[in-house]
Structures are given as C-alpha cells and as structure tokens.
Amino acid sequence: NKVLMEKAGELIKTQGSVVILANEAEKGFVLLAKSPDIKLNSAEILRDSLASFGGKGGGKEDFASGSVDISKLEEALAKIKATIISAL
C-alpha cells in the first residue's frame, strides 16, 4: 500500500488530477487523491462510498485511503468514480 501512496503522490503533482488506486491484497485497499486545484473532498467521498459496502475510509481532503471487502471492491470503485464524475 505504501507503493500506491507514493505513486498517487507523484500523479497528483499534475494539475487537474484525480487518482483512484486499489489493491486486492487481503482486504480491498482503496486510495483516492487529487491535485489541489480540484474541488473535491477525497476523505468524504471515500468514507461515504466505502461505507455503502461495509468498508471504512478516511484521511484528508486531498488524500484519503480505506478498505472494503474484496468481494465488494469493484462495486465500491464504480461508486467512487460515479461520485467524482457527478461532483465535477
């Protein structure tokens, strides 16, 4: 998960970036990050989306992480993506 966090940190250096990364190891790890110019709350989106599937998430407005049962990972990612698209 540390590698995903480092990669997300690199990717959000570009303006206009929103990054969703996931790892299927053990529990489904999900990371949501954004560049400072994007008006989204990553922690809120991740927490609410993962909670819909029994998962947990949190963090900061620009960088958040959480986990959800692997069987729900694809659905959770789809919800996160849809929430971001509708907010932009």
Side-chain angles (χ1 to χ4, degrees), residues 10-69:
E10 291 173 26
L11 293 171
I12 62 170
K13 289 179 183 174
T14 304
Q15 278 195 339
S17 298
V18 177
V19 179
I20 307 168
L21 298 174
N23 182 351
E24 294 181 334
E26 298 175 32
K27 264 196 164 182
F29 176 79
V30 181
L31 187 144
L32 176 59
K34 67 170 191 73
S35 56
D37 60 309
I38 299 292
K39 303 297 181 213
L40 292 173
N41 186 322
S42 297
E44 184 179 290
I45 291 170
L46 196 67
R47 181 177 49 251
D48 294 348
S49 296
L50 295 181
S52 300
F53 300 97
K56 294 181 181 180
K60 298 181 180 177
E61 185 175 325
D62 62 341
F63 207 99
S65 63
S67 64
V68 66
D69 187 275

